[in-house]
Amino acid sequence: MADNKKSTTDEKRVSQTSKTTRQSTNHNGAQTNAQNAKKAQMKTPEELEKARARKAKKIRRRKRKKVRRIILSYLMLIFLLVCVIGGYIVYEKFGKQVLTYRQEAIDLVAASSEKTFRQDETSIVYDANGRKIREVTGEKEVYYKTYDEIPAYFVEAMVSVEDRRFYEHNGVDYEGIMRAAYILFKNNGNITQGASTITQQLARGIFLTNEVSYERKIKEIFIAWEMEKKYTKQQILEYYLNTIFFSNFYYGIGAASKGYFDKDLDELSVSEVAFLCAIPNSPTYYDPRTNYDHTIERRNKILNDMHELGYLNDLEHQTALDEKIKLAEEKKISHDYVETYTNFCATEALMEAGGFEFQYKFDTIEEQHEYNERYRSTYDEYYSTLYTGGYQIYTSIEPKKQKLLQKTIDETLSMDEDKNEETGIYNLQGASTCIDNSNGRVVAIVGGRTQEELQGYSLNRAYQSARQPGSTIKPLIVYTPQLERGYTPATRVDDTDFEKANMPENSGRTYSGMISLAQAVAASKNVVAYRLFGQLTPEVGAEYLLNMNFNYLTIEDRQNMAACLGGLTYGATTVEMASGYSTIENDGEFRKPTCIVQITDSQGNVIVEDKIKSKAVYELNASRMMISMLQGVFTGGTASGLGIPGMSCAGKTGTTDNNTDGWFCAFTPYYTMSVWVGYDTPQATRGLWGSTYPGRIWHDFMTEIHDGLKDLGFPDYEWVRSTMDWKDTRSSSEDSEDEDDKKKKKKKKKKEKPTETTESTTQPVAPPPEQPTTEPTTQPTTQPTTEPTTQPTTQPTTQPVTATTS
């Protein structure tokens, strides 16, 4: 009871205290307000205004914060909605597909066994009639070795150079992927480095194609994961080392060891092991038979990596570096020109189907070298699949025409039997390409003379050797472009010699004064072509060649006036020249030259479609005017007497200085054909002109394949009045001249009063030309003979000055 009273008393005391406190607070607050009011009355108007401004600013700031919170809330809501919707769309578009890839990988690996990694399928090549030409087998030797039979050095070498973290990852090296992602960003999205582990490389080689795409990469990763679950590291290494390509048709280390050293694996030294392991990274670039120094350089890198990782001690490392590698004698197997060309075309067709983008124009040498490296690497990947992919390769090659073209070249050049003392190959050689004008595809191709006693891969000069094209380049780089700019076959042009030294001269140093453009073409007038090229500029002229995929055109050629006379750094191939002339015949529409019609895989799925793509290079009317003038070359020009009876013909001859190279490029309504004759190492050739051996080969072959064909003629061009008034253009193509030279020019112009005729389209007939007798010019002494790439890998240090042609 007392406690209750105490509690009540305490409550009253607390209540009384609280009341007192409130009263005190109220009193103090009232007192403070009174004081503030008193102080406010004491403030000046300016101070009062500032105070009000500060208060208003605080209010505005609170309002802005409130609005900002509301906006951020809405933005967050919108962002979440976008994430949800975007995630749903991504899942619908890609997620299901990725899950499909994952399931496919699980099924593929689950169904695989050791036999999966031992088998391969042979590709088959068919001719234009659908008949089997051959199987793509070559010397595909396979000596399978189990893991126990593989020396430790092989495993250590491959792991060192290809996949250092092989024993740590689960099939995918995420550090490598990060490096590849950085390089991908650095190269603006171009896939240049795959970051593939040994497991991924094996997955790609066995289960996938070499297509460069993100989809394939995803599939590759999933398959690699599944393989690491099913197979041990030792099994993966065994399968990998037995399936990789070592160039020269050797698949697996057993075949490579036998092929390059004629030894079993256990007989190889560590240096020889590293030498072999250098090859698969780029089987063409590191081909020991053709690029021995490249292989040695990479061997040294592998030995250094093995030393760094502790696989070799100092003594073993130095001993291996000092060891001289001696290759066994190469086993010879015969391969004809159709085989080499169909392999090349099929490889590039597969590359294109896989997404590779070909490039022909470069602004810098560095850009060109970077592209060449990318091209070579991709080419090697796809080339190796020809021997294991089981492709059905359908081509446009016509066996009868192929056999006839080879026979024609052999017989025409049979009068010269001189051979190279070291190689035993005929010194005087010829090459030719024949294209069907209806589709732009190659029907026959010959890269040299037949020699039954020789075996092994022969250089296919038709597409692998670029040579100075002489005057045959003029219609492509000078005349047809100028016909687009107002010239006509009847336009009067100046055929007088240059007054300065070291300038081009006409064949036989003969000049005709003022003549029509048609006469200049028929008689192959160098000074006319040079003056017109000066107006056009080399940069513009070269663009036409680049648009027709001329592989060997260099940066220097695009600035070189001598290019208009065939004075190119490397030159052109017969495939390129035939394709260029076929473009003119096809009303200016270019079609990439190839012999591939269609490629299917072993299940019949179409990989390369039977589809002809074209692009406009020349204007239609300009092309038809050019055809009209090229007909004059046969009727009264440098190709007189080489025409086919009863068949329309148009074309051009070409002969370089000292009769080093002879060319004939011409077409009918049915076929276009280019022919080159000369020596592999350029040298003067007695009796060689465009109209002799090359012209005779063209005439004999084309006459026979046109037997029974009706002359369809060429379409007429639309006659137009030229807007070009002739003018002396020598100043645009010569160096600066002194005042005396300028005065002479003025006097000459007054006397000649240039005019342009506007006659009918009937073409004048030019007198037969004399043979070229001018001074020699600088020319490359060697020609590229390595595995084909789309561009030369090095730039020359000298430029041709001129190339006297006929």
Side-chain angles (χ1 to χ4, degrees):
M1 194 68 182
D3 290 339
N4 290 337
K5 286 184 179 180
K6 183 178 179 181
S7 176
T8 303
T9 304
D10 290 341
E11 287 173 357
K12 287 181 179 180
R13 187 178 296 112
V14 170
S15 174
Q16 212 168 19
T17 303
S18 299
K19 183 177 180 181
T20 304
T21 302
R22 283 196 301 272
Q23 289 176 349
S24 175
T25 301
N26 291 338
H27 175 74
N28 292 337
Q31 187 178 6
T32 301
N33 291 337
Q35 290 175 353
N36 290 338
K38 187 175 181 181
K39 287 181 179 179
Q41 290 177 355
M42 294 175 63
K43 288 182 178 179
T44 63
E46 290 80 5
E47 291 175 333
L48 290 173
E49 184 63 30
K50 288 181 180 179
R52 281 194 294 270
R54 283 195 296 271
K55 185 176 180 181
K57 188 174 181 180
K58 289 180 181 179
I59 294 172
R60 286 197 301 273
R61 188 180 295 119
R62 283 196 295 270
K63 286 182 178 179
R64 282 198 298 269
K65 286 182 179 180
K66 185 176 181 181
V67 171
R68 193 179 295 117
R69 282 196 297 270
I70 294 172
I71 293 173
L72 287 174
S73 299
Y74 278 113
L75 289 175
M76 182 61 70
L77 180 61
I78 293 171
F79 175 74
L80 291 173
L81 287 173
V82 168
C83 289
V84 172
I85 295 171
Y88 177 76
I89 293 173
V90 169
Y91 172 76
E92 284 294 320
K93 190 171 183 180
F94 303 108
K96 293 180 179 179
Q97 191 64 52
V98 170
L99 293 177
T100 301
Y101 294 157
R102 179 64 190 275
Q103 189 58 49
E104 288 176 354
I106 293 173
D107 296 340
L108 278 172
V109 176
S112 68
S113 64
E114 182 179 324
K115 292 183 179 179
T116 305
F117 304 95
R118 284 179 178 253
Q119 66 185 13
D120 51 55
E121 298 181 79
T122 299
S123 299
I124 301 174
V125 181
Y126 301 90
D127 65 21
N129 302 313
R131 299 191 186 95
K132 176 179 171 181
I133 298 178
R134 62 184 179 87
E135 294 182 353
V136 186
T137 55
E139 193 176 357
K140 189 174 61 179
E141 300 179 83
V142 179
Y143 299 89
Y144 195 92
K145 300 293 181 180
T146 64
Y147 186 80
D148 294 337
E149 296 173 315
I150 300 173
Y153 280 141
F154 263 110
V155 173
E156 294 164 355
M158 274 300 182
V159 170
S160 298
V161 74
E162 292 291 339
D163 189 358
R164 289 192 175 194
R165 290 167 42 80
F166 175 73
Y167 294 104
E168 301 171 24
H169 61 65
N170 63 343
V172 180
D173 184 0
Y174 300 102
E175 291 182 12
I177 290 176
M178 292 300 293
R179 288 194 302 272
Y182 169 73
I183 294 175
L184 184 70
F185 172 77
K186 189 177 178 181
N187 289 280
N188 299 318
N190 294 321
I191 302 176
T192 58
Q193 180 172 320
S196 295
T197 63
I198 284 177
T199 313
Q200 286 176 265
Q201 293 178 48
L202 179 61
R204 180 172 65 243
I206 298 298
F207 298 106
L208 301 171
T209 68
N210 290 304
E211 176 188 6
V212 180
S213 67
Y214 298 105
E215 290 82 359
R216 192 213 69 187
K217 200 67 181 176
I218 294 172
K219 294 178 182 179
E220 183 183 294
I221 289 172
F222 286 149
I223 293 174
W225 282 343
E226 295 304 315
M227 288 177 64
E228 292 272 348
K229 294 177 184 176
K230 182 171 182 176
Y231 301 108
T232 65
K233 293 287 187 180
Q234 288 76 18
Q235 285 177 303
I236 290 171
L237 280 170
E238 176 185 319
Y239 301 150
Y240 176 74
L241 290 171
N242 278 285
T243 56
I244 51 178
F245 183 50
F246 285 86
S247 191
N248 293 295
F249 318 107
Y250 299 125
Y251 286 82
I253 54 176
S257 178
K258 278 290 185 181
Y260 291 118
F261 297 114
D262 196 22
K263 296 179 182 179
D264 290 327
L265 294 184
D266 55 5
E267 298 177 289
L268 298 178
S269 67
V270 64
S271 183
E272 291 171 329
V273 167
F275 185 86
L276 290 182
C277 291
I279 302 170
N281 182 265
S282 181
T284 298
Y285 187 76
Y286 296 115
D287 182 350
R289 300 292 184 191
T290 58
N291 297 313
Y292 179 86
D293 291 342
H294 296 169
T295 319
I296 288 293
E297 183 179 355
R298 186 163 176 81
R299 178 208 66 168
N300 295 343
K301 178 190 183 308
I302 294 174
L303 291 173
N304 291 337
D305 289 346
M306 294 176 70
H307 178 246
E308 180 185 333
L309 294 174
Y311 294 130
L312 297 176
N313 59 38
D314 292 344
L315 179 59
E316 291 170 331
H317 175 232
Q318 192 59 50
T319 301
L321 285 174
D322 293 339
E323 183 178 337
K324 301 297 181 184
I325 299 294
K326 184 179 180 181
L327 298 175
E329 185 175 350
E330 183 179 7
K331 295 179 181 179
K332 300 290 185 179
I333 290 184
S334 179
H335 302 277
D336 62 26
Y337 300 119
V338 168
E339 181 176 350
T340 57
Y341 187 61
T342 54
N343 284 355
F344 168 71
C345 289
T347 302
E348 285 209 334
L350 291 171
M351 289 168 64
E352 186 173 12
F356 185 85
E357 295 184 5
F358 295 94
Q359 185 177 346
Y360 302 93
K361 182 179 180 180
F362 305 94
D363 295 325
T364 64
I365 294 176
E366 290 72 25
E367 181 187 2
Q368 181 178 351
H369 286 172
E370 181 182 334
Y371 169 80
N372 285 342
E373 181 64 30
R374 190 166 70 252
Y375 172 91
R376 183 174 57 241
S377 174
T378 308
Y379 185 93
D380 286 338
E381 285 188 30
Y382 282 93
Y383 183 82
S384 64
T385 65
L386 295 181
Y387 296 87
T388 58
Y391 298 120
Q392 307 296 299
I393 304 169
Y394 299 90
T395 75
S396 56
I397 297 297
E398 299 183 28
K400 288 184 178 179
K401 290 183 175 64
Q402 177 66 30
K403 186 176 180 180
L404 175 62
L405 183 55
Q406 184 70 69
K407 177 184 175 183
T408 305
I409 290 177
D410 290 342
E411 291 180 350
T412 305
L413 304 182
S414 62
M415 79 301 173
D416 190 330
E417 298 291 330
D418 291 342
K419 298 179 181 179
N420 184 293
E421 293 181 358
E422 295 181 2
T423 63
I425 298 173
Y426 286 127
N427 289 324
L428 183 62
Q429 286 292 343
S432 181
T433 302
C434 181
I435 287 177
D436 184 343
N437 290 336
S438 67
N439 53 37
R441 290 179 176 139
V442 175
V443 296
I445 184 168
V446 171
R449 296 167 65 179
T450 301
Q451 290 187 255
E452 299 291 350
E453 71 276 14
L454 294 181
Q455 291 182 319
Y457 257 103
S458 299
L459 171 67
N460 193 330
R461 298 163 186 82
Y463 79 95
Q464 288 178 306
S465 289
R467 299 301 292 258
Q468 303 282 329
S471 283
T472 56
I473 202 71
K474 293 175 185 175
L476 306 180
I477 200 172
V478 181
Y479 293 129
T480 311
Q482 283 291 31
L483 290 170
E484 293 182 348
R485 290 163 172 77
Y487 281 87
T488 71
T491 302
R492 304 286 286 178
V493 291
D494 179 23
D495 179 36
T496 58
D497 61 326
F498 290 102
E499 297 171 353
K500 288 194 65 178
N502 300 318
M503 294 298 284
E505 297 174 327
N506 283 341
S507 172
R509 296 187 177 90
T510 59
Y511 304 91
S512 305
M514 295 300 299
I515 59 174
S516 70
L517 188 61
Q519 288 175 308
V521 172
S524 196
K525 297 291 188 176
N526 290 331
V527 296
V528 172
Y530 197 81
R531 286 189 173 112
L532 294 181
F533 198 56
Q535 288 181 1
L536 188 68
T537 73
E539 187 73 28
V540 174
E543 197 70 25
Y544 287 88
L545 300 185
L546 292 170
N547 285 335
M548 293 186 290
N549 300 357
F550 272 60
N551 296 336
Y552 295 95
L553 207 66
T554 66
I555 296 172
E556 288 84 353
D557 290 333
R558 287 150 49 189
Q559 306 296 328
N560 185 11
M561 279 294 297
C564 70
L565 305 179
L568 303 174
T569 303
Y570 290 93
T573 66
T574 64
V575 171
E576 292 168 345
M577 294 303 295
S579 177
Y581 274 72
S582 179
T583 298
I584 294 176
E585 193 281 334
N586 193 42
D587 286 339
E589 290 286 324
F590 168 77
R591 297 158 298 187
K592 182 178 180 179
T594 181
C595 67
I596 299 301
V597 176
Q598 187 183 67
I599 299 178
T600 64
D601 62 18
S602 57
Q603 283 76 45
N605 301 310
V606 176
I607 300 175
V608 176
E609 295 182 352
D610 180 6
K611 188 176 182 181
I612 301 170
K613 299 177 182 179
S614 67
K615 66 176 178 179
V617 174
Y618 302 112
E619 293 177 2
L620 181 147
N621 206 48
S623 298
R624 293 185 177 182
M625 283 192 281
M626 191 69 247
I627 293 173
S628 175
M629 293 193 292
L630 291 175
Q631 286 180 274
V633 177
F634 278 90
T635 58
T638 56
S640 296
L642 293 174
I644 304 171
M647 183 62 62
S648 298
C649 302
K652 188 79 185 67
T653 59
T655 311
T656 59
D657 281 355
N658 286 336
N659 311 80
T660 302
D661 300 281
W663 284 83
F664 196 87
C665 302
F667 51 82
T668 68
Y670 295 97
Y671 298 100
T672 298
M673 179 177 167
S674 65
V675 184
W676 165 84
V677 174
Y679 284 75
D680 287 333
T681 301
Q683 66 182 65
T685 307
R686 189 174 181 180
L688 176 61
W689 316 96
S691 58
T692 55
Y693 303 125
R696 197 175 309 154
I697 292 170
W698 186 93
H699 172 270
D700 293 349
F701 174 79
M702 293 288 265
T703 297
E704 189 158 343
I705 68 172
H706 283 80
D707 184 34
L709 296 179
K710 180 183 178 181
D711 185 10
L712 302 176
F714 297 115
D716 293 331
Y717 63 87
E718 179 184 351
W719 189 86
V720 293
R721 180 186 291 274
S722 173
T723 58
M724 296 292 299
D725 288 326
W726 177 86
K727 57 183 177 180
D728 192 329
T729 59
R730 284 175 290 181
S731 60
S732 66
S733 57
E734 297 183 55
D735 296 330
S736 59
E737 301 170 319
D738 56 28
E739 291 300 320
D740 291 337
D741 288 336
K742 292 181 180 179
K743 288 178 182 179
K744 289 179 182 178
K745 279 187 180 180
K746 289 180 181 179
K747 288 179 181 179
K748 191 178 234 185
K749 288 178 77 175
K750 284 181 182 180
K751 290 179 182 179
E752 290 184 348
K753 248 189 180 180
T755 58
E756 178 197 336
T757 60
T758 56
E759 301 168 2
S760 67
T761 56
T762 304
Q763 300 304 319
V765 177
E770 299 180 21
Q771 304 294 2
T773 57
T774 52
E775 293 302 314
T777 58
T778 303
Q779 294 190 14
T781 57
T782 59
Q783 300 297 329
T785 58
T786 56
E787 184 71 21
T789 62
T790 59
Q791 291 289 336
T793 56
T794 58
Q795 297 293 346
T797 57
T798 60
Q799 287 290 329
V801 180
T802 59
T804 303
T805 57
S806 66

